[in-house]
Amino acid sequence: MYMFEVEGRRPLRGTVRASGAKNAVLPIMAAAVMAGSPCVLHNSPDLSDVRTMSKILEGLGATVERTSDGSLVIDPTTIDSHVVDEMLMRQVRSSIFLMGPLLARMGKVQVSYPGGCDIGQRPIDLHIKGLKALGASVEEKHGHIIAERLRWEGIDIHLDIPSVGATENIMMGACLADGVTIIRNAAKEPEIVDLQTFLNAMGAKVRGAGTDVIRIEGVEKLHGAEHTIMPDRIEVGTLMIGAVITGGEVTVENAVAEHVQALTSKLREIGAEVHFNGHGITVRGKGRPRATDVKTLPYPGFPTDMQPQIMALLSIADGTSVITETIFDSRFKQAEELGRMGAKIRREGRTAIIKGVPALSGAMVEATDLRSGASLVLAGLSAEGKTVVRGIHNIDRGYERFEEKLESLGASVKRVSDNRR
Ligand code: EPZ
């Protein structure tokens, strides 16, 4: 196991590029299962979640190669199994996205129930409801879910919650259904638009991603396609906050301004300068951040995946801030760890009240999931003295070469072995 040693009080300065989006490449890898020929995914991030998903696809019989320029080449033509490896599935819950594509291609799928994780309950009832509506029978026994295609026809479905994963699962399965599927109250995240682009490149007929009504006209078959994965807007946001929490100035070259509007607005409220130019986003921290309130909401609201990171920033703000987490029921784990660094955070259910302190102090802290890990690294960059962040395998799930990027901006973040583990 490894940990990061982070030296504090070093402003981040310079230009950096974000990697391809974890939450785009994972569903797109699942969609590739439906292709009748190989797919090439450019700008795929080299993350542990992507490596695990690659092993899951290989377990189904596909071949997955990473080329030297960071593209994934997936050949699904040799897939001969519908059973998703249980141990691997526990590592990457988003392998639940394989249900729709495998039902569409194989007529059958067996997955293990994806465990919850450290951000709370992660039910999949909306996924199951959508796949049943398309025509699958679903049986749950001994921790497995076995689904079988009885018929596979287009539907008109309204999602109780604009669930990203459920929207994606139904969208993919519907591509090969007979007739038209309409998904209402669909999630509008940019990663869903990226998935639509890939599906249509495969010969699907999907319209409306990015809005709350998505229309899929079923087709006979899908062929392989090339696609470039969109930049990771959560990594972009994490680096933007890095600039502000250290009082530095960072340009994220390949950022898409529209994808980070909610965060941009908050950072300006906090007193930072944010400029979009032809080649990315430049963020400058100006003095001590001002307190503000944050409420996480489905896109285009403030993203839950940026909540731990902005909590770190508000921990040193001038004043008291309130964060309301409306998406997950327990995504404040980082509050305790920030408290070890001197932050004053009181949690009341889905609300956190943060009384800003002038400065944090370095300490040994534990990453419990990937975004809380990122938040602790950001806090360490700002704190006085050295911070040791343990459990960084969580960070490696969603941040490619995180310490290298931060060091290229002037930080001191060393990956060292955690020999107490
Ligand atoms: C995706 O998870 C992301 N993961 C998450 O990113 C992100 O936090 C989340 O969307 C919300 O934006 C990937 O895309 C791989 P949801 P997902 O279904 O699809 C409830 C990260 O840090 N719900 O939109 O699992 C659920 O409990 C990760 O990169 C049901 O009740 O999220 C939650 O409260 C963390 N029933 C809400 O909906 C269901 O069937 C939103 O979940 C499905 C979800």
Side-chain angles (χ1 to χ4, degrees):
M1 301 293 258
Y2 289 89
M3 55 195 191
F4 280 151
E5 285 184 349
V6 185
E7 294 299 336
R9 317 300 293 163
R10 296 164 72 110
L12 296 187
R13 292 196 192 295
T15 297
V16 68
R17 283 182 69 80
S19 299
K22 167 178 86 78
N23 293 349
V25 70
L26 291 171
I28 285 173
M29 288 174 79
V33 157
M34 299 186 289
S37 52
C39 298
V40 183
L41 306 180
H42 301 297
N43 195 36
S44 291
D46 186 12
L47 302 168
S48 54
D49 272 10
V50 172
R51 291 196 288 275
T52 305
M53 191 67 156
S54 301
K55 285 191 197 124
I56 287 172
L57 295 188
E58 287 169 340
L60 296 170
T63 59
V64 183
E65 306 291 333
R66 173 177 285 278
T67 64
S68 54
D69 70 352
S71 302
L72 280 184
V73 181
I74 299 174
D75 180 356
T77 56
T78 46
I79 285 179
D80 57 5
S81 166
H82 66 276
V83 179
V84 177
D85 180 283
E86 176 162 2
M87 293 317 291
L88 291 173
M89 179 147 187
R90 285 182 172 283
Q91 294 170 39
V92 184
R93 65 165 265 111
S94 43
S95 41
I96 196 74
F97 297 148
L98 280 163
M99 291 190 77
L102 281 172
L103 277 169
R105 179 196 170 106
M106 310 288 285
K108 203 170 176 186
V109 60
Q110 176 177 317
V111 295
S112 64
Y113 205 88
C117 56
D118 278 300
I119 58 177
Q121 283 306 310
R122 304 291 292 276
I124 58 168
D125 55 310
L126 298 176
H127 296 247
I128 302 294
K129 182 176 165 187
L131 297 171
K132 275 183 174 171
L134 281 167
S137 70
V138 180
E139 197 187 354
E140 298 181 43
K141 59 181 184 184
H142 314 309
H144 287 123
I145 301 169
I146 297 146
E148 198 149 356
R149 204 176 60 198
L150 305 175
R151 55 178 172 70
W152 205 240
E153 287 157 12
I155 48 164
D156 188 327
I157 186 166
H158 180 281
L159 295 180
D160 300 341
I161 298 174
S163 153
V164 172
T167 301
E168 292 169 335
N169 229 335
I170 298 164
M171 195 168 142
M172 292 187 280
C175 287
L176 292 176
D178 296 334
V180 174
T181 293
I182 307 279
I183 306 174
R184 301 182 193 279
N185 195 28
K188 300 186 276 192
E189 273 69 4
E191 291 76 15
I192 296 173
V193 178
D194 216 36
L195 176 61
Q196 170 179 275
T197 305
F198 177 64
L199 289 168
N200 288 340
M202 290 167 76
K205 290 181 180 165
V206 187
R207 297 286 177 277
T211 75
D212 57 5
V213 180
I214 300 177
R215 182 182 188 280
I216 304 104
E217 190 181 329
V219 295
E220 281 299 307
K221 61 182 183 341
L222 297 172
H223 51 73
E226 273 197 77
H227 179 74
T228 298
I229 302 294
M230 62 175 264
D232 191 316
R233 62 188 170 99
I234 306 300
E235 183 184 27
V236 170
T238 306
L239 293 164
M240 289 168 71
I241 290 186
V244 184
I245 203 170
T246 60
E249 179 168 335
V250 172
T251 295
V252 188
E253 265 183 342
N254 55 338
V256 176
E258 184 201 340
H259 292 174
V260 289
Q261 286 294 0
L263 174 64
T264 296
S265 154
K266 279 298 156 190
L267 291 181
R268 286 175 174 158
E269 277 175 38
I270 284 169
E273 276 180 17
V274 184
H275 301 293
F276 307 120
N277 42 44
H279 32 269
I281 289 178
T282 299
V283 183
R284 187 146 63 95
K286 287 181 66 189
R288 186 174 179 191
R290 289 195 293 266
T292 188
D293 295 340
V294 175
K295 182 173 189 177
T296 65
L297 286 169
Y299 192 88
F302 190 93
T304 174
D305 293 347
M306 284 304 306
Q307 178 265 108
Q309 297 91 313
I310 204 160
M311 180 183 276
L313 177 56
L314 293 172
S315 297
I316 58 166
D318 182 8
T320 298
S321 307
V322 177
I323 293 181
T324 309
E325 172 57 67
T326 71
I327 308 294
F328 291 109
D329 58 16
S330 136
R331 197 171 200 172
F332 287 148
K333 291 273 170 54
Q334 66 281 353
E336 265 162 62
E337 299 303 304
L338 289 168
R340 290 169 182 276
M341 301 175 72
K344 300 274 179 269
I345 304 170
R346 196 172 80 247
R347 298 188 299 178
E348 289 176 6
R350 288 190 176 215
T351 300
I353 295 103
I354 303 137
K355 192 175 178 322
V357 295
L360 297 174
S361 54
M364 177 172 283
V365 290
E366 183 84 28
T368 50
D369 72 273
L370 81 135
R371 307 304 174 187
S372 69
S375 139
L376 295 170
V377 172
L378 293 176
L381 292 172
S382 154
E384 284 158 357
K386 181 166 93 168
T387 296
V388 174
V389 182
R390 303 178 74 188
I392 59 170
H393 57 281
N394 287 303
I395 298 176
D396 291 338
R397 290 186 50 203
Y399 290 89
E400 185 183 37
R401 302 193 318 278
F402 195 38
E403 72 271 30
E404 279 176 40
K405 287 177 178 135
L406 293 173
E407 291 229 319
S408 75
L409 295 169
S412 167
V413 180
K414 302 289 179 234
R415 180 183 293 256
V416 298
S417 134
D418 184 352
N419 46 30
R420 275 155 294 193
R421 280 226 165 124

